[in-house]
Amino acid sequence: MIPRDSTRRRFLSVGVAAVVAASAGCQSLSASSDNDEAGGTQRSLQLTLAPRDGPLRDRYVADLSETQPDWDEAAFEETLNGSTYTTQYRKPFRTSDDDPRYAERDGTYYQLGSVVVDEATETRPVLRLSEVSDDADASSADDDDASADPIDADRLPESDQRAVHVAHMAARARGNVGGVAWGLVQRGGYVYRREEAIEASRLLADDAPDRVTFRETTYAVDVSDERFHEPVYRATVQQVATSPDRMEAILRAKIVDARIAESDLSEDAREILWQARGDGEGYSESHSYSPEYRAVLRALDERAYVDGNVEKDAFTDDHGGGTLLYDGDYFDYRLRFSSDSA
């Protein structure tokens, strides 16, 4: 799991929003529980622990020769040798303060990063697809124009196949409350950025087909050249450690949110952590919590669930999950509310 604030943003934005909406107007967790019980349900706070195997180094220290994209290794080598390596639009090493990344070379560990050093203005082709209705498809079939015949996406070059897949997701999402993969979709379609992909493209050629078939659906093809303002990144490589132990200490300081020793808890509290582990449903209690569960929550430094106004204080980016170091073993932990039939 990645550090606390980044991790919590990811799952709280999905799960907690529904809980907050459901509890709107409640003044406290006890009041919410009373209302739930009156309606035949009981609200519980669930704790789950997912064990991590091995040291943190296994996750955060990358072997750049095995990563994608492969130009990460070139960025590392050139920067380590004192040269300047820049990329446009794409951030080197795909790292951030919330998601650190490191590399090792000859026993020395380096933190990988980047800084924005310029802005570039480029014109890029954008592919958008729109679903063709049955009536329009039948009308086109009677046309003598050969370009009206759709081409199957599987017959396109690999770069076009990826473009069609992404543009298909954008077309499918229009008017659909299910959303769209915004990490892939841009400007409502797919943006061609690699020169080799543009040169190899069938959809960008002068004699490009007007329609394409993907997953048994026929789409009209629309390509437009549009202007983009893109950041220029310079790769950075900084030495941080010269031993595995020191690297592990750095990662613990940056990643671990809570540390608990068995001796810190009573036998009953330790049993709660044991039940929270594994592939099951974790451990749950309804309000008001037992002293042992309260002790576990405080040991996790999740005090907003027991020491404050839960409805107001717990539903923030600072609470709900993180990384636990428990007697030398690492765990990803998560807290969430659930309502079960009484």
Side-chain angles (χ1 to χ4, degrees), residues 148-180:
D149 295 332
I151 186 172
D152 194 290
D154 292 339
R155 296 171 51 197
L156 295 170
E158 184 177 346
S159 57
D160 279 342
Q161 291 184 34
R162 172 178 170 79
V164 168
H165 185 192
V166 173
H168 147 80
M169 290 190 289
R172 182 184 59 185
R174 295 187 192 110
N176 187 330
V177 297
V180 64

Side-chain angles (χ1 to χ4, degrees), residues 41 49 111 128 134 145 166 188 205 213 243 278 305 308 310 315 340:
T41 61
L49 296 181
Q111 181 169 353
R128 298 183 182 90
D134 293 338
D145 188 355
V166 173
T213 301
S243 71
Y305 290 89
V310 177
F315 300 121
D340 303 317

Side-chain angles (χ1 to χ4, degrees), residues 132-208:
V132 177
S133 66
D134 293 338
D135 292 342
D137 196 47
S139 175
S140 297
D142 296 333
D143 199 334
D144 292 334
D145 188 355
S147 66
D149 295 332
I151 186 172
D152 194 290
D154 292 339
R155 296 171 51 197
L156 295 170
E158 184 177 346
S159 57
D160 279 342
Q161 291 184 34
R162 172 178 170 79
V164 168
H165 185 192
V166 173
H168 147 80
M169 290 190 289
R172 182 184 59 185
R174 295 187 192 110
N176 187 330
V177 297
V180 64
W182 290 115
L184 299 174
V185 172
Q186 296 174 28
R187 296 198 181 180
Y190 178 83
V191 181
Y192 286 83
R193 283 192 163 82
R194 293 169 47 242
E195 289 300 324
E196 54 268 32
I198 294 173
E199 293 175 2
S201 174
R202 176 81 174 84
L203 297 178
L204 302 181
D206 293 336
D207 59 347

Side-chain angles (χ1 to χ4, degrees), residues 75-144:
F76 177 73
E77 294 288 351
E78 291 191 24
T79 305
L80 191 62
N81 292 331
S83 301
T84 297
Y85 188 96
T86 59
T87 58
Q88 189 172 312
Y89 174 70
R90 293 180 174 85
K91 182 181 294 188
F93 311 124
R94 294 177 292 185
T95 185
S96 68
D97 290 340
D98 292 337
D99 188 9
R101 201 170 181 202
Y102 301 83
E104 181 268 337
R105 178 60 53 84
D106 298 329
T108 299
Y109 294 84
Y110 301 87
Q111 181 169 353
L112 311 177
S114 62
V115 293
V116 177
V117 295
D118 203 352
E119 178 186 67
T121 302
E122 299 286 351
T123 300
R124 309 283 192 192
V126 182
L127 170 69
R128 298 183 182 90
L129 300 178
S130 56
E131 189 170 343
V132 177
S133 66
D134 293 338
D135 292 342
D137 196 47
S139 175
S140 297
D142 296 333
D143 199 334
D144 292 334

Side-chain angles (χ1 to χ4, degrees), residues 36-47:
D36 288 339
E37 289 171 2
T41 61
Q42 186 169 355
R43 192 155 163 234
S44 300
L45 179 62
Q46 179 191 61
L47 170 65

Side-chain angles (χ1 to χ4, degrees), residues 44-49 269 272-277 280-285 293 296-297 300 302 320-321 324 332-337:
S44 300
L45 179 62
Q46 179 191 61
L47 170 65
T48 55
L49 296 181
I272 289 175
L273 289 178
W274 176 257
Q275 292 185 36
R277 299 172 59 173
E281 294 299 320
Y283 180 85
S284 297
E285 280 192 22
Y293 199 18
V296 169
L297 294 172
L300 291 172
E302 297 289 353
L324 166 66
D332 294 335
Y333 76 86
R334 178 180 178 182
L335 286 162
R336 65 177 180 180
F337 287 113

